[in-house]
Amino acid sequence: MADGARYSRALILGASVVSIAALATERSLAQTASPQAESVSSERPKQAKRKPAKPQVAQQATPEVMNARAQAGGAAPVQVLDTITVAATKTKERAIDSLAPVSSISLDQIQGLQPNRLSGIFYAVPGVSFQERGDDPATVINVRGLQDFGRVAVVVDGARQNYQRTGHNANGSFFLDPELIGGVDVVRGPTANIYGSGAIGGLVSFRTKDINDVLRPGERWGVDLSGTYGSNSNRGLGSVFGGVRATPDIDIFGGAVYRTQDNYKDGNGTVIGNTNNQVEAGLLKLTVRPALGHEVKFGATFQDYQYTIGQMNTGPVATAAQRALYQGSSVYSSDTKNYTGTLTWNYSLPSDNLFDSHVSIYGNRTENDQTKTYHYSTAGAAYCGAGNVGNNISGCVGDKRSYDLNTFGFDANNTTRFNVGDWRNAVTYGVDAFQDDVITKDSRGNSNITTPSGIRTVSGGFIQLKQNYSSWFEAVSAIRYDRYDLESGKTNSSGDRFSPKITLGVTPVAGFQPYVSYAEGYRAPSITETVISGAHATGGGPAFFVCPDGTSGLFCFLPNPNLRPEVGKNKEVGFNLKYDNIFSASDSFRGKINLFRNDVSDYIDLVASTPVPTGFGSFSQFYQYQNIANARIQGFEAETMYDAGNWFIGVAGHYIQGKNAQTNIGLATITPRKVVTTGGVRLLDRTLIVSAQWASYGANNDVPAGYIPSTGYELVNLYLTYAATKDIVFSASIDNLLNQYYRPYAIPGSSTDGTTQNDVLWTSPGAGRVYKAGLKIHFGGA
């Protein structure tokens, strides 16, 4: 789409929001009813009795929804760590009470941050970082230094996000616009092994917006309109979400998002090419409560990302040194569509201790279609015709390639509760499975080799016993069974394992809860790691080696059908801190502090053979994914917040070390230090919130040979939210106030000549200073 059309659409959507605001101001001022906060039990929430005359009580508001309403309406705020989560144990508990390193991100936090991409909402979450390119809107999530090939389980409304494409980028990503999100839970480490296979690094569970995120108590219908504009450069967002309670037992909810941006500048003022993109997204949900305690939800999400990946020639290439520095890679026009469908059934009644059940069936499809538009050697190998066959890595200008992944899965579990004397027991048991079907099509290029097609099926089951004695002792013990089967061409592999977990916590005095934990996780090898095979094409230069299959290229990929799964063995000591009414009648302090060590046995990494001399220097002939003896990742994490009502301050962050224990060389995926300080004030009867955030990151200098270390940097962000009325909220922010240049992760060296991969180097810096302003309007009625 042309730039003018993109900007016009964003500005029209934003202007519509402003126009509606002007028309609605008088009506909004006339509405004086203020929302009431609802209490949420730390145990199973009691379901409200059905009252057809009052359909608004059919579902209770969650703490994150309450907090959003409190920010806009002037009521007392809710601590984020008090959010109800099921991520760690599949039983409802507050994050602060969970004997696990759990963090939650609420809807009001997301809206206050005005994020342009998903990574922007995780600033204050310890142990979480990102390896993402500016020219690719996909998200690559890293937890405690682990990423790629499903080491971090990512789910959206319970649906696994397993998309992966191997190239000059991270090996594992997913597509999700932050405007669709209603809340996020993060569990760090394999303590969430009952949640699904593969999560040796952790779990990130996203919840998309639903009707309770828009409708207020007493409303039968409601609509939220939002618009945002930002600088650096021409960032626009427009969204609408609305829902109606058709009857006390039927809810209908939907929404649409449009986002666009131009190429941004980094902190040095350099325009990062091809960082422009646009996103069109929508969701639809239908919730039916057919009987008391039963809830069935149908959900569908669609996203379409249009962007250009790769870098143009940015300078002269007259000499070898200039070529190594400036020559761009191939450039592709990309259109990625993501479809997610879910069907869930939940049953829960306070009076029924035998059954507290959840069943979910889902399908997720990612289609990434790319067309080559440019190559640095436009006068030669880039164009086909007249005897020219094109570049044999990426084909000719106009050639197409596609990467598709279909994931289908289900998750079913139940909790049974019973008491024995002073012991309160909850037994949770369940099964889950998913299947990945990878389909890669590239008629001329190298993608069929680097991202091979195939099918992988992963399944498992678990049983967990959660016990509480009186008010001072808690124990969580579980065991999970995992199995996988992989098939691609003539290669087949499979495996299985039992993984235990045990956690013990005590509360010797009120508010202080130390715990210890040991948990194991199991990650099956991916299709790419197991069956990647063949010559890496030369791109027009000389072929250095002949591969076992008779092809020739720069080097040879070797498959490894004997690849063993990874096993994470995590030891953890943690402290939960929860105090209220410390210095005044309404202040509170929440803190989660933990130390951990995760020993990953049979860690899988791409290993190069010993270099051999060629006519152009010494190079490795073979590259193969292999099991190394052990990777050790250890560190300290903390998340704290003191809230006095009219002001708040908190510190969160981590210090992490990660090494290949076999070579004592650091892991390139580690972010060694992150310290984030957040503080702010609530003024004008808490309708005006002004806050600042200072994030300090340490550079990763302990990296393998051939890598350029990441940079250490300081990010200062400012935020303002003003509720002019209870229905009209203005927001503004400044990201990267100091206009810092930063490159948040280490850059891999070239596989051929030791230079950096130019496209990664040019697209890794983050954006410089960004000014943003937004407006949100609410309509609703009984």
Side-chain angles (χ1 to χ4, degrees):
M1 181 180 293
D3 288 347
R6 288 194 295 115
Y7 301 147
S8 297
R9 188 184 300 185
L11 291 175
I12 288 171
L13 202 52
S16 300
V17 171
V18 175
S19 301
I20 294 172
L23 295 173
T25 299
E26 182 177 356
R27 177 175 180 269
S28 299
L29 290 172
Q31 296 175 346
T32 58
S34 56
Q36 300 297 317
E38 303 177 48
S39 62
V40 179
S41 171
S42 61
E43 301 296 330
R44 295 171 56 182
K46 293 185 178 180
Q47 181 167 326
K49 295 181 179 179
R50 295 187 177 188
K51 299 180 180 179
K54 297 182 179 180
Q56 70 270 15
V57 302
Q59 294 180 355
Q60 292 189 347
T62 59
E64 54 264 36
V65 176
M66 293 158 50
N67 204 8
R69 296 169 184 164
Q71 301 295 343
V78 177
Q79 284 269 20
V80 173
L81 284 174
D82 286 338
T83 301
I84 301 295
T85 177
V86 298
T89 62
K90 286 189 179 287
T91 59
K92 293 180 180 180
E93 58 189 349
R94 298 183 187 274
I96 188 61
D97 297 324
S98 176
L99 303 183
V102 178
S103 297
S104 291
I105 304 171
S106 64
L107 177 60
D108 71 289
Q109 284 181 298
I110 297 171
Q111 293 174 337
L113 292 169
Q114 298 181 298
N116 198 63
R117 64 186 301 171
L118 199 58
S119 57
I121 71 176
F122 289 88
Y123 280 130
V125 179
V128 177
S129 58
F130 294 84
Q131 181 176 319
E132 54 193 18
R133 297 169 54 130
D135 59 355
D136 188 343
T139 297
V140 178
I141 226 165
N142 178 306
V143 178
R144 291 181 171 178
L146 291 173
Q147 62 182 48
D148 296 337
F149 299 119
R151 290 186 176 103
V152 176
V154 177
V155 295
V156 177
D157 292 335
R160 292 282 294 238
Q161 307 294 308
N162 294 341
Y163 178 74
Q164 179 265 324
R165 174 177 82 86
T166 295
H168 299 166
N169 48 276
N171 286 292
S173 59
F174 64 99
F175 293 84
L176 183 62
D177 191 89
E179 188 69 5
L180 296 173
I181 301 172
V184 189
D185 289 326
V186 179
V187 183
R188 300 179 293 277
T191 188
N193 61 2
I194 67 167
Y195 212 91
S197 179
I200 64 173
L203 165 76
V204 182
S205 177
F206 295 92
R207 176 185 65 84
T208 59
K209 289 179 179 176
D210 210 331
I211 194 165
N212 281 332
D213 296 313
V214 174
L215 269 64
R216 298 172 179 174
E219 291 183 342
R220 185 181 177 189
W221 66 272
V223 177
D224 280 349
L225 297 177
S226 298
T228 302
Y229 178 79
S231 65
N232 194 11
S233 167
N234 294 318
R235 301 162 182 251
L237 165 70
S239 72
V240 55
F241 291 91
V244 59
R245 300 197 192 279
T247 74
D249 296 319
I250 299 177
D251 300 337
I252 303 171
F253 180 78
V257 177
Y258 178 77
R259 185 188 301 273
T260 183
Q261 73 170 46
D262 205 344
N263 294 337
Y264 67 71
K265 294 181 180 179
D266 65 18
N268 289 336
T270 302
V271 176
I272 307 301
N274 294 331
T275 53
N276 59 308
N277 60 68
Q278 72 174 37
V279 184
E280 298 168 340
L283 63 82
L284 183 65
K285 294 184 178 182
L286 171 65
T287 304
V288 179
R289 289 172 285 276
L292 189 63
H294 295 266
E295 180 182 87
V296 179
K297 186 181 294 289
F298 304 85
T301 303
F302 168 74
Q303 301 176 87
D304 187 359
Y305 292 76
Q306 297 179 31
Y307 57 101
T308 302
I309 189 168
Q311 293 300 289
M312 309 284 280
N313 185 338
T314 56
V317 291
T319 68
Q322 289 173 335
R323 184 173 294 107
L325 179 62
Y326 291 115
Q327 72 182 22
S329 67
S330 298
V331 177
Y332 295 90
S333 174
S334 302
D335 185 358
T336 299
K337 296 180 175 66
N338 177 263
Y339 310 83
T340 301
T342 59
L343 171 60
T344 60
W345 168 74
N346 293 291
Y347 168 77
S348 180
L349 277 177
S351 59
D352 190 342
N353 290 323
L354 290 179
F355 297 100
D356 185 353
S357 305
H358 167 86
V359 178
S360 176
I361 302 172
Y362 63 85
N364 185 63
R365 177 176 175 83
T366 301
E367 302 174 351
N368 187 346
D369 297 321
Q370 300 185 339
T371 302
K372 184 170 180 176
T373 59
Y374 177 87
H375 192 273
Y376 68 85
S377 180
T378 56
Y383 291 98
C384 295
N388 191 347
V389 296
N391 181 280
N392 60 2
I393 291 180
S394 53
C396 309
V397 168
D399 279 354
K400 298 181 182 297
R401 66 185 188 184
S402 65
Y403 307 87
D404 297 342
L405 174 66
N406 296 301
T407 300
F408 299 96
F410 76 90
D411 177 19
N413 60 81
N414 181 66
T415 298
T416 298
R417 295 175 173 85
F418 59 94
N419 295 339
V420 179
D422 290 335
W423 290 88
R424 301 184 305 281
N425 305 280
V427 178
T428 304
Y429 44 93
V431 294
D432 54 77
F434 65 83
Q435 182 179 85
D436 291 334
D437 185 0
V438 179
I439 305 171
T440 302
K441 298 178 181 178
D442 189 353
S443 60
R444 290 185 180 269
N446 206 54
S447 298
N448 292 327
I449 292 175
T450 56
T451 308
S453 301
I455 295 176
R456 181 180 66 149
T457 303
V458 179
S459 59
F462 72 92
I463 184 168
Q464 171 190 270
L465 173 62
K466 183 177 180 182
Q467 299 174 288
N468 291 83
Y469 179 79
S470 186
S471 60
W472 65 270
F473 179 77
E474 181 175 325
V476 181
S477 53
I479 189 164
R480 176 177 177 84
Y481 172 76
D482 285 297
R483 177 176 177 80
Y484 78 95
D485 295 277
L486 186 151
E487 179 180 351
S488 179
K490 296 181 180 180
T491 300
N492 295 273
S493 67
S494 62
D496 62 353
R497 188 178 191 276
F498 286 95
S499 301
K501 179 178 79 170
I502 179 69
T503 303
L504 303 175
V506 297
T507 308
V509 294
F512 177 67
Q513 185 181 37
Y515 67 89
V516 294
S517 176
Y518 176 79
E520 295 184 1
Y522 178 82
R523 185 187 77 88
S526 69
I527 295 170
T528 294
E529 291 170 306
T530 305
V531 303
I532 189 170
S533 177
H536 188 294
T538 62
F544 294 160
F545 302 105
V546 177
C547 299
D549 61 359
T551 59
S552 59
L554 296 178
F555 58 86
C556 308
F557 288 112
L558 296 181
N560 190 351
N562 298 316
L563 203 58
R564 297 182 301 277
E566 297 174 338
V567 177
K569 300 177 180 180
N570 190 72
K571 285 73 65 179
E572 194 128 9
V573 176
F575 303 89
N576 294 334
L577 306 173
K578 181 173 64 174
Y579 300 102
D580 296 315
N581 308 321
I582 308 166
F583 303 111
S584 67
S586 60
D587 67 348
S588 62
F589 175 82
R590 299 290 185 269
K592 292 182 77 74
I593 300 170
N594 54 283
L595 298 94
F596 70 92
R597 190 177 84 183
N598 192 3
D599 291 296
V600 184
S601 60
D602 289 326
Y603 184 82
I604 300 173
D605 204 357
L606 188 62
V607 178
S609 63
T610 302
V612 297
T614 70
F616 298 87
S618 295
F619 296 91
S620 296
Q621 180 177 1
F622 300 111
Y623 282 78
Q624 183 184 51
Y625 283 99
Q626 298 178 3
N627 296 105
I628 66 175
N630 188 36
R632 172 168 292 177
I633 302 173
Q634 57 190 1
F636 165 84
E637 297 168 334
E639 182 177 7
T640 65
M641 178 62 69
Y642 173 77
D643 197 318
N646 291 329
W647 61 277
F648 55 91
I649 188 168
V651 178
H654 68 249
Y655 177 77
I656 297 176
Q657 293 179 323
K659 288 183 180 293
N660 178 334
Q662 190 174 29
T663 62
N664 202 36
I665 296 175
L667 301 178
T669 54
I670 296 293
T671 300
R673 174 177 57 81
K674 178 171 82 168
V675 180
V676 182
T677 303
T678 303
V681 295
R682 301 183 180 98
L683 307 171
L684 303 180
D685 196 24
R686 302 181 182 177
T687 61
L688 174 64
I689 305 173
V690 181
S691 62
Q693 191 174 74
W694 170 30
S696 177
Y697 293 81
N700 184 10
N701 296 309
D702 186 9
V703 294
Y707 275 78
I708 291 182
S710 62
T711 59
Y713 56 99
E714 314 290 323
L715 287 183
V716 177
N717 305 322
L718 303 179
Y719 306 101
L720 179 148
T721 301
Y722 174 57
T725 73
K726 73 181 185 67
D727 293 324
I728 300 177
V729 179
F730 297 92
S731 56
S733 62
I734 306 176
D735 293 344
N736 195 0
L737 175 68
L738 304 180
N739 202 30
Q740 282 256 308
Y741 173 88
Y742 64 99
R743 195 179 60 251
Y745 59 93
I747 304 300
S750 169
S751 58
T752 58
D753 56 14
T755 63
T756 59
Q757 296 285 12
N758 192 53
D759 57 333
V760 182
L761 179 64
W762 278 103
T763 61
S764 62
R769 186 182 300 115
V770 180
Y771 299 93
K772 289 180 287 188
L775 175 65
K776 178 182 176 182
I777 307 166
H778 176 78
F779 300 92

